[in-house]
Amino acid sequence: MPAPFTDWLCDWIAPRRCVGCDTVSRDTFCAACGAPDPIEPELSEDGVPIHALGSYQGPLAAAIRRLKYTPCPALARPLGAALAGVLPRAVLEPGSVIVPVPLHPRRLAERGFNQSALVARALAERMGLRSQPRLLSRVRETAQQAELDRRARATNVSDAFTLSARAPRSAILIDDVVTTGATVSACVRVLVAQGTRVIAIIALARTTGRPPLS
Ligand SMILES: [Zn+2]
């Protein structure tokens, strides 16, 4: 199928680039970087499936670091679109709200954007759903999860989140990188306590090693 005229026009004005290495590429990841290897969904400690584009390594990790630290917020769009491609249809429940894990207001002010909220918006546009970037608030400033062991990570984020608006019937939670799942689980508990069914947790990447700084 030929590319739509709007795609051609966009490519002519600003050629698409690889999210991993920034070379001109029609694909999200160029041939040299290669697309991340798919990984099987894993259940969070609350029994919610965690879907991700791949493991936090190589070009995918490079893309996430570029998104957050370069910073390059425009990368949220192709990464969100790529996420839409790995999600099973069961996740596309009409009426579900895509909810990003919030940053603490201080970190949000430092960076100027919440990378998870941008990915949530891009994903929502692709899936014909709504994202609600301010549904959850981070009310407690927490230590960087990267600096803590597994047990300390769970304690660190418990009671860190509250609901800022009416709870939706069903939600999909999104974070950039999921490590032990402590942060997303703290968010799941806040939503479930208000009657929301959390259908899935979506991450750009999953890591079993040391998490990146948030
Ligand atoms: Zn590349």
Side-chain angles (χ1 to χ4, degrees):
M1 194 171 67
F5 175 72
T6 46
D7 279 9
W8 176 84
L9 190 65
C10 287
D11 287 352
W12 183 69
I13 295 166
R16 277 184 265 186
R17 291 178 175 273
C18 170
V19 293
C21 69
D22 204 31
T23 56
V24 173
S25 164
R26 282 203 62 81
D27 299 316
T28 308
F29 289 91
C30 70
C33 284
D37 289 329
I39 52 174
E40 286 294 313
E42 196 175 76
L43 288 184
S44 75
E45 57 187 63
D46 315 277
V48 181
I50 305 174
H51 300 272
L53 274 183
S55 297
Y56 186 76
Q57 59 186 14
L60 178 57
I64 295 169
R65 284 194 297 269
R66 291 184 59 221
L67 166 68
K68 290 162 69 173
Y69 308 124
T70 300
C72 195
L75 290 183
R77 184 173 282 270
L79 287 169
L83 265 179
V86 301
L87 296 176
R89 291 202 67 79
V91 170
L92 305 171
E93 194 170 293
S96 292
V97 173
I98 303 186
V99 181
V101 169
L103 294 180
H104 186 271
R106 190 196 304 262
R107 187 168 302 280
L108 183 61
E110 281 168 8
R111 185 169 297 151
F113 62 92
N114 174 0
Q115 66 280 355
S116 299
L118 297 183
V119 175
R121 187 168 67 191
L123 182 63
E125 281 173 7
R126 277 285 171 140
M127 294 164 75
L129 297 176
R130 198 160 56 90
S131 72
Q132 215 172 333
R134 292 186 192 82
L135 182 66
L136 289 170
S137 306
R138 201 161 191 140
V139 287
R140 203 159 55 71
E141 199 159 20
T142 52
Q144 286 282 356
Q145 292 287 76
E147 292 156 7
L148 305 171
D149 66 21
R150 188 183 182 94
R151 184 183 297 184
R153 281 178 204 163
T155 311
N156 183 40
V157 290
S158 65
D159 305 324
F161 303 98
T162 60
L163 210 61
S164 306
R166 198 160 145 258
R169 191 172 51 83
S170 58
I172 296 165
L173 198 60
I174 186 162
D175 202 1
D176 54 351
V177 181
V178 168
T179 304
T180 62
T183 303
V184 282
S185 286
C187 293
V188 167
R189 282 194 290 276
V190 169
L191 288 162
V192 168
Q194 296 301 316
T196 299
R197 195 162 62 86
V198 180
I199 303 168
I201 294 163
I202 299 174
L204 290 175
R206 248 180 27 213
T207 174
T208 50
R210 195 180 166 79
L213 294 174
S214 64

PDB file of all heavy atoms in Angstrom, residues 127-155:
ATOM      1  N   MET A 127      -4.516   4.495  19.378  1.00  0.00           N
ATOM      2  CA  MET A 127      -5.481   3.455  19.741  1.00  0.00           C
ATOM      3  C   MET A 127      -6.900   3.973  19.801  1.00  0.00           C
ATOM      4  O   MET A 127      -7.826   3.221  20.088  1.00  0.00           O
ATOM      5  CB  MET A 127      -5.090   2.861  21.098  1.00  0.00           C
ATOM      6  CG  MET A 127      -3.760   2.107  21.044  1.00  0.00           C
ATOM      7  SD  MET A 127      -3.052   1.807  22.675  1.00  0.00           S
ATOM      8  CE  MET A 127      -4.082   0.508  23.284  1.00  0.00           C
ATOM      9  N   GLY A 128      -7.086   5.277  19.559  1.00  0.00           N
ATOM     10  CA  GLY A 128      -8.423   5.851  19.629  1.00  0.00           C
ATOM     11  C   GLY A 128      -8.964   5.869  21.047  1.00  0.00           C
ATOM     12  O   GLY A 128     -10.176   5.762  21.267  1.00  0.00           O
ATOM     13  N   LEU A 129      -8.067   5.985  22.018  1.00  0.00           N
ATOM     14  CA  LEU A 129      -8.480   6.064  23.427  1.00  0.00           C
ATOM     15  C   LEU A 129      -8.120   7.450  23.962  1.00  0.00           C
ATOM     16  O   LEU A 129      -7.561   8.284  23.261  1.00  0.00           O
ATOM     17  CB  LEU A 129      -7.767   4.983  24.252  1.00  0.00           C
ATOM     18  CG  LEU A 129      -8.067   3.529  23.883  1.00  0.00           C
ATOM     19  CD1 LEU A 129      -7.215   2.591  24.719  1.00  0.00           C
ATOM     20  CD2 LEU A 129      -9.538   3.202  24.084  1.00  0.00           C
ATOM     21  N   ARG A 130      -8.421   7.655  25.213  1.00  0.00           N
ATOM     22  CA  ARG A 130      -8.170   8.940  25.849  1.00  0.00           C
ATOM     23  C   ARG A 130      -7.026   8.752  26.847  1.00  0.00           C
ATOM     24  O   ARG A 130      -6.939   7.722  27.510  1.00  0.00           O
ATOM     25  CB  ARG A 130      -9.452   9.327  26.606  1.00  0.00           C
ATOM     26  CG  ARG A 130      -9.602  10.770  26.987  1.00  0.00           C
ATOM     27  CD  ARG A 130     -11.082  11.057  27.268  1.00  0.00           C
ATOM     28  NE  ARG A 130     -11.643  10.174  28.291  1.00  0.00           N
ATOM     29  CZ  ARG A 130     -11.636  10.455  29.587  1.00  0.00           C
ATOM     30  NH1 ARG A 130     -11.093  11.560  30.035  1.00  0.00           N
ATOM     31  NH2 ARG A 130     -12.183   9.616  30.458  1.00  0.00           N
ATOM     32  N   SER A 131      -6.134   9.738  26.932  1.00  0.00           N
ATOM     33  CA  SER A 131      -5.140   9.677  28.010  1.00  0.00           C
ATOM     34  C   SER A 131      -5.503  10.741  29.037  1.00  0.00           C
ATOM     35  O   SER A 131      -6.103  11.765  28.701  1.00  0.00           O
ATOM     36  CB  SER A 131      -3.714   9.884  27.479  1.00  0.00           C
ATOM     37  OG  SER A 131      -3.504  11.216  27.099  1.00  0.00           O
ATOM     38  N   GLN A 132      -5.175  10.454  30.264  1.00  0.00           N
ATOM     39  CA  GLN A 132      -5.523  11.375  31.348  1.00  0.00           C
ATOM     40  C   GLN A 132      -4.251  11.635  32.164  1.00  0.00           C
ATOM     41  O   GLN A 132      -3.978  10.958  33.160  1.00  0.00           O
ATOM     42  CB  GLN A 132      -6.626  10.763  32.214  1.00  0.00           C
ATOM     43  CG  GLN A 132      -7.590  11.801  32.740  1.00  0.00           C
ATOM     44  CD  GLN A 132      -8.790  11.192  33.434  1.00  0.00           C
ATOM     45  OE1 GLN A 132      -9.195  10.068  33.143  1.00  0.00           O
ATOM     46  NE2 GLN A 132      -9.360  11.919  34.379  1.00  0.00           N
ATOM     47  N   PRO A 133      -3.430  12.596  31.693  1.00  0.00           N
ATOM     48  CA  PRO A 133      -2.100  12.773  32.271  1.00  0.00           C
ATOM     49  C   PRO A 133      -2.091  13.238  33.719  1.00  0.00           C
ATOM     50  O   PRO A 133      -1.100  13.048  34.412  1.00  0.00           O
ATOM     51  CB  PRO A 133      -1.446  13.815  31.357  1.00  0.00           C
ATOM     52  CG  PRO A 133      -2.568  14.491  30.653  1.00  0.00           C
ATOM     53  CD  PRO A 133      -3.689  13.500  30.564  1.00  0.00           C
ATOM     54  N   ARG A 134      -3.194  13.832  34.170  1.00  0.00           N
ATOM     55  CA  ARG A 134      -3.180  14.349  35.542  1.00  0.00           C
ATOM     56  C   ARG A 134      -4.072  13.552  36.479  1.00  0.00           C
ATOM     57  O   ARG A 134      -4.432  14.040  37.548  1.00  0.00           O
ATOM     58  CB  ARG A 134      -3.584  15.828  35.560  1.00  0.00           C
ATOM     59  CG  ARG A 134      -2.540  16.691  34.888  1.00  0.00           C
ATOM     60  CD  ARG A 134      -2.847  18.179  35.022  1.00  0.00           C
ATOM     61  NE  ARG A 134      -1.990  18.940  34.138  1.00  0.00           N
ATOM     62  CZ  ARG A 134      -2.217  19.123  32.846  1.00  0.00           C
ATOM     63  NH1 ARG A 134      -3.299  18.621  32.299  1.00  0.00           N
ATOM     64  NH2 ARG A 134      -1.383  19.802  32.100  1.00  0.00           N
ATOM     65  N   LEU A 135      -4.444  12.338  36.067  1.00  0.00           N
ATOM     66  CA  LEU A 135      -5.319  11.548  36.937  1.00  0.00           C
ATOM     67  C   LEU A 135      -4.605  11.187  38.244  1.00  0.00           C
ATOM     68  O   LEU A 135      -5.173  11.281  39.319  1.00  0.00           O
ATOM     69  CB  LEU A 135      -5.774  10.275  36.221  1.00  0.00           C
ATOM     70  CG  LEU A 135      -6.723   9.404  37.029  1.00  0.00           C
ATOM     71  CD1 LEU A 135      -8.048  10.118  37.254  1.00  0.00           C
ATOM     72  CD2 LEU A 135      -6.976   8.069  36.352  1.00  0.00           C
ATOM     73  N   LEU A 136      -3.344  10.790  38.125  1.00  0.00           N
ATOM     74  CA  LEU A 136      -2.562  10.475  39.326  1.00  0.00           C
ATOM     75  C   LEU A 136      -1.609  11.625  39.620  1.00  0.00           C
ATOM     76  O   LEU A 136      -1.101  12.261  38.695  1.00  0.00           O
ATOM     77  CB  LEU A 136      -1.745   9.201  39.105  1.00  0.00           C
ATOM     78  CG  LEU A 136      -2.511   7.877  39.044  1.00  0.00           C
ATOM     79  CD1 LEU A 136      -1.580   6.767  38.572  1.00  0.00           C
ATOM     80  CD2 LEU A 136      -3.103   7.521  40.401  1.00  0.00           C
ATOM     81  N   SER A 137      -1.372  11.870  40.890  1.00  0.00           N
ATOM     82  CA  SER A 137      -0.380  12.868  41.297  1.00  0.00           C
ATOM     83  C   SER A 137       0.655  12.199  42.174  1.00  0.00           C
ATOM     84  O   SER A 137       0.334  11.289  42.946  1.00  0.00           O
ATOM     85  CB  SER A 137      -1.007  13.986  42.134  1.00  0.00           C
ATOM     86  OG  SER A 137      -2.066  14.555  41.468  1.00  0.00           O
ATOM     87  N   ARG A 138       1.868  12.681  42.056  1.00  0.00           N
ATOM     88  CA  ARG A 138       2.943  12.196  42.927  1.00  0.00           C
ATOM     89  C   ARG A 138       3.041  13.204  44.061  1.00  0.00           C
ATOM     90  O   ARG A 138       3.452  14.330  43.859  1.00  0.00           O
ATOM     91  CB  ARG A 138       4.243  12.145  42.134  1.00  0.00           C
ATOM     92  CG  ARG A 138       5.262  11.232  42.714  1.00  0.00           C
ATOM     93  CD  ARG A 138       6.286  10.891  41.626  1.00  0.00           C
ATOM     94  NE  ARG A 138       7.139   9.836  42.053  1.00  0.00           N
ATOM     95  CZ  ARG A 138       7.549   8.845  41.286  1.00  0.00           C
ATOM     96  NH1 ARG A 138       7.165   8.779  40.043  1.00  0.00           N
ATOM     97  NH2 ARG A 138       8.349   7.930  41.758  1.00  0.00           N
ATOM     98  N   VAL A 139       2.582  12.787  45.240  1.00  0.00           N
ATOM     99  CA  VAL A 139       2.468  13.751  46.339  1.00  0.00           C
ATOM    100  C   VAL A 139       3.684  13.728  47.252  1.00  0.00           C
ATOM    101  O   VAL A 139       3.834  14.586  48.098  1.00  0.00           O
ATOM    102  CB  VAL A 139       1.202  13.492  47.178  1.00  0.00           C
ATOM    103  CG1 VAL A 139      -0.028  13.933  46.410  1.00  0.00           C
ATOM    104  CG2 VAL A 139       1.081  12.037  47.591  1.00  0.00           C
ATOM    105  N   ARG A 140       4.504  12.719  47.085  1.00  0.00           N
ATOM    106  CA  ARG A 140       5.681  12.623  47.946  1.00  0.00           C
ATOM    107  C   ARG A 140       6.899  12.507  47.043  1.00  0.00           C
ATOM    108  O   ARG A 140       6.910  11.733  46.091  1.00  0.00           O
ATOM    109  CB  ARG A 140       5.566  11.383  48.852  1.00  0.00           C
ATOM    110  CG  ARG A 140       6.386  11.452  50.101  1.00  0.00           C
ATOM    111  CD  ARG A 140       5.839  10.484  51.155  1.00  0.00           C
ATOM    112  NE  ARG A 140       5.723   9.112  50.705  1.00  0.00           N
ATOM    113  CZ  ARG A 140       6.763   8.307  50.471  1.00  0.00           C
ATOM    114  NH1 ARG A 140       7.996   8.733  50.626  1.00  0.00           N
ATOM    115  NH2 ARG A 140       6.557   7.063  50.073  1.00  0.00           N
ATOM    116  N   GLU A 141       7.908  13.313  47.351  1.00  0.00           N
ATOM    117  CA  GLU A 141       9.134  13.224  46.569  1.00  0.00           C
ATOM    118  C   GLU A 141       9.892  12.003  47.052  1.00  0.00           C
ATOM    119  O   GLU A 141      10.138  11.849  48.242  1.00  0.00           O
ATOM    120  CB  GLU A 141       9.984  14.479  46.740  1.00  0.00           C
ATOM    121  CG  GLU A 141      10.991  14.630  45.655  1.00  0.00           C
ATOM    122  CD  GLU A 141      11.471  16.068  45.507  1.00  0.00           C
ATOM    123  OE1 GLU A 141      11.322  16.858  46.443  1.00  0.00           O
ATOM    124  OE2 GLU A 141      11.995  16.385  44.442  1.00  0.00           O
ATOM    125  N   THR A 142      10.233  11.113  46.129  1.00  0.00           N
ATOM    126  CA  THR A 142      10.854   9.852  46.528  1.00  0.00           C
ATOM    127  C   THR A 142      12.307   9.842  46.082  1.00  0.00           C
ATOM    128  O   THR A 142      12.688  10.545  45.148  1.00  0.00           O
ATOM    129  CB  THR A 142      10.110   8.665  45.878  1.00  0.00           C
ATOM    130  OG1 THR A 142      10.013   8.912  44.476  1.00  0.00           O
ATOM    131  CG2 THR A 142       8.716   8.530  46.437  1.00  0.00           C
ATOM    132  N   ALA A 143      13.112   9.001  46.764  1.00  0.00           N
ATOM    133  CA  ALA A 143      14.503   8.834  46.335  1.00  0.00           C
ATOM    134  C   ALA A 143      14.503   8.173  44.960  1.00  0.00           C
ATOM    135  O   ALA A 143      13.530   7.515  44.581  1.00  0.00           O
ATOM    136  CB  ALA A 143      15.231   7.956  47.343  1.00  0.00           C
ATOM    137  N   GLN A 144      15.550   8.349  44.188  1.00  0.00           N
ATOM    138  CA  GLN A 144      15.669   7.683  42.893  1.00  0.00           C
ATOM    139  C   GLN A 144      15.639   6.176  43.120  1.00  0.00           C
ATOM    140  O   GLN A 144      16.439   5.650  43.899  1.00  0.00           O
ATOM    141  CB  GLN A 144      16.992   8.077  42.220  1.00  0.00           C
ATOM    142  CG  GLN A 144      16.993   9.476  41.667  1.00  0.00           C
ATOM    143  CD  GLN A 144      16.250   9.597  40.342  1.00  0.00           C
ATOM    144  OE1 GLN A 144      15.778   8.608  39.789  1.00  0.00           O
ATOM    145  NE2 GLN A 144      16.128  10.793  39.842  1.00  0.00           N
ATOM    146  N   GLN A 145      14.722   5.488  42.437  1.00  0.00           N
ATOM    147  CA  GLN A 145      14.613   4.040  42.596  1.00  0.00           C
ATOM    148  C   GLN A 145      15.949   3.355  42.251  1.00  0.00           C
ATOM    149  O   GLN A 145      16.284   2.310  42.797  1.00  0.00           O
ATOM    150  CB  GLN A 145      13.511   3.470  41.685  1.00  0.00           C
ATOM    151  CG  GLN A 145      12.097   3.890  42.064  1.00  0.00           C
ATOM    152  CD  GLN A 145      11.564   3.224  43.326  1.00  0.00           C
ATOM    153  OE1 GLN A 145      11.951   3.594  44.433  1.00  0.00           O
ATOM    154  NE2 GLN A 145      10.686   2.269  43.171  1.00  0.00           N
ATOM    155  N   ALA A 146      16.706   3.970  41.336  1.00  0.00           N
ATOM    156  CA  ALA A 146      17.972   3.370  40.893  1.00  0.00           C
ATOM    157  C   ALA A 146      18.946   3.186  42.045  1.00  0.00           C
ATOM    158  O   ALA A 146      19.847   2.356  41.981  1.00  0.00           O
ATOM    159  CB  ALA A 146      18.604   4.242  39.815  1.00  0.00           C
ATOM    160  N   GLU A 147      18.772   3.970  43.102  1.00  0.00           N
ATOM    161  CA  GLU A 147      19.749   3.936  44.187  1.00  0.00           C
ATOM    162  C   GLU A 147      19.337   2.983  45.307  1.00  0.00           C
ATOM    163  O   GLU A 147      20.005   2.914  46.335  1.00  0.00           O
ATOM    164  CB  GLU A 147      19.930   5.366  44.743  1.00  0.00           C
ATOM    165  CG  GLU A 147      20.619   6.284  43.733  1.00  0.00           C
ATOM    166  CD  GLU A 147      20.320   7.751  43.958  1.00  0.00           C
ATOM    167  OE1 GLU A 147      19.690   8.088  44.974  1.00  0.00           O
ATOM    168  OE2 GLU A 147      20.724   8.549  43.093  1.00  0.00           O
ATOM    169  N   LEU A 148      18.217   2.261  45.132  1.00  0.00           N
ATOM    170  CA  LEU A 148      17.676   1.441  46.221  1.00  0.00           C
ATOM    171  C   LEU A 148      17.612  -0.030  45.838  1.00  0.00           C
ATOM    172  O   LEU A 148      17.536  -0.374  44.654  1.00  0.00           O
ATOM    173  CB  LEU A 148      16.259   1.936  46.558  1.00  0.00           C
ATOM    174  CG  LEU A 148      16.130   3.425  46.911  1.00  0.00           C
ATOM    175  CD1 LEU A 148      14.665   3.797  46.991  1.00  0.00           C
ATOM    176  CD2 LEU A 148      16.844   3.733  48.216  1.00  0.00           C
ATOM    177  N   ASP A 149      17.606  -0.921  46.862  1.00  0.00           N
ATOM    178  CA  ASP A 149      17.413  -2.332  46.567  1.00  0.00           C
ATOM    179  C   ASP A 149      15.912  -2.606  46.438  1.00  0.00           C
ATOM    180  O   ASP A 149      15.080  -1.723  46.635  1.00  0.00           O
ATOM    181  CB  ASP A 149      18.076  -3.232  47.627  1.00  0.00           C
ATOM    182  CG  ASP A 149      17.434  -3.102  49.001  1.00  0.00           C
ATOM    183  OD1 ASP A 149      16.266  -2.652  49.087  1.00  0.00           O
ATOM    184  OD2 ASP A 149      18.095  -3.423  49.997  1.00  0.00           O
ATOM    185  N   ARG A 150      15.571  -3.855  46.113  1.00  0.00           N
ATOM    186  CA  ARG A 150      14.187  -4.190  45.766  1.00  0.00           C
ATOM    187  C   ARG A 150      13.198  -3.826  46.877  1.00  0.00           C
ATOM    188  O   ARG A 150      12.177  -3.197  46.613  1.00  0.00           O
ATOM    189  CB  ARG A 150      14.115  -5.701  45.461  1.00  0.00           C
ATOM    190  CG  ARG A 150      12.787  -6.128  44.897  1.00  0.00           C
ATOM    191  CD  ARG A 150      12.724  -7.627  44.680  1.00  0.00           C
ATOM    192  NE  ARG A 150      11.440  -7.944  44.086  1.00  0.00           N
ATOM    193  CZ  ARG A 150      11.237  -8.053  42.789  1.00  0.00           C
ATOM    194  NH1 ARG A 150      12.215  -7.887  41.942  1.00  0.00           N
ATOM    195  NH2 ARG A 150      10.030  -8.326  42.320  1.00  0.00           N
ATOM    196  N   ARG A 151      13.520  -4.218  48.118  1.00  0.00           N
ATOM    197  CA  ARG A 151      12.571  -3.970  49.207  1.00  0.00           C
ATOM    198  C   ARG A 151      12.432  -2.459  49.464  1.00  0.00           C
ATOM    199  O   ARG A 151      11.341  -1.943  49.642  1.00  0.00           O
ATOM    200  CB  ARG A 151      13.021  -4.676  50.489  1.00  0.00           C
ATOM    201  CG  ARG A 151      11.989  -4.517  51.601  1.00  0.00           C
ATOM    202  CD  ARG A 151      12.429  -5.142  52.879  1.00  0.00           C
ATOM    203  NE  ARG A 151      12.592  -6.585  52.746  1.00  0.00           N
ATOM    204  CZ  ARG A 151      12.900  -7.381  53.773  1.00  0.00           C
ATOM    205  NH1 ARG A 151      13.082  -6.878  54.968  1.00  0.00           N
ATOM    206  NH2 ARG A 151      13.018  -8.679  53.607  1.00  0.00           N
ATOM    207  N   ALA A 152      13.563  -1.778  49.441  1.00  0.00           N
ATOM    208  CA  ALA A 152      13.534  -0.334  49.688  1.00  0.00           C
ATOM    209  C   ALA A 152      12.759   0.394  48.599  1.00  0.00           C
ATOM    210  O   ALA A 152      12.106   1.400  48.850  1.00  0.00           O
ATOM    211  CB  ALA A 152      14.954   0.205  49.780  1.00  0.00           C
ATOM    212  N   ARG A 153      12.778  -0.146  47.369  1.00  0.00           N
ATOM    213  CA  ARG A 153      12.034   0.498  46.276  1.00  0.00           C
ATOM    214  C   ARG A 153      10.533   0.473  46.550  1.00  0.00           C
ATOM    215  O   ARG A 153       9.829   1.441  46.286  1.00  0.00           O
ATOM    216  CB  ARG A 153      12.313  -0.224  44.950  1.00  0.00           C
ATOM    217  CG  ARG A 153      13.630   0.166  44.344  1.00  0.00           C
ATOM    218  CD  ARG A 153      13.870  -0.595  43.070  1.00  0.00           C
ATOM    219  NE  ARG A 153      15.294  -0.652  42.808  1.00  0.00           N
ATOM    220  CZ  ARG A 153      15.867  -1.503  41.962  1.00  0.00           C
ATOM    221  NH1 ARG A 153      15.126  -2.351  41.302  1.00  0.00           N
ATOM    222  NH2 ARG A 153      17.155  -1.487  41.784  1.00  0.00           N
ATOM    223  N   ALA A 154      10.032  -0.658  47.076  1.00  0.00           N
ATOM    224  CA  ALA A 154       8.598  -0.775  47.356  1.00  0.00           C
ATOM    225  C   ALA A 154       8.200   0.209  48.456  1.00  0.00           C
ATOM    226  O   ALA A 154       7.179   0.888  48.357  1.00  0.00           O
ATOM    227  CB  ALA A 154       8.269  -2.205  47.764  1.00  0.00           C
ATOM    228  N   THR A 155       9.024   0.301  49.524  1.00  0.00           N
ATOM    229  CA  THR A 155       8.730   1.212  50.629  1.00  0.00           C
ATOM    230  C   THR A 155       8.797   2.656  50.148  1.00  0.00           C
ATOM    231  O   THR A 155       7.973   3.494  50.498  1.00  0.00           O
ATOM    232  CB  THR A 155       9.763   1.016  51.766  1.00  0.00           C
ATOM    233  OG1 THR A 155       9.853  -0.374  52.017  1.00  0.00           O
ATOM    234  CG2 THR A 155       9.353   1.756  53.021  1.00  0.00           C
TER     235      THR A 155
END
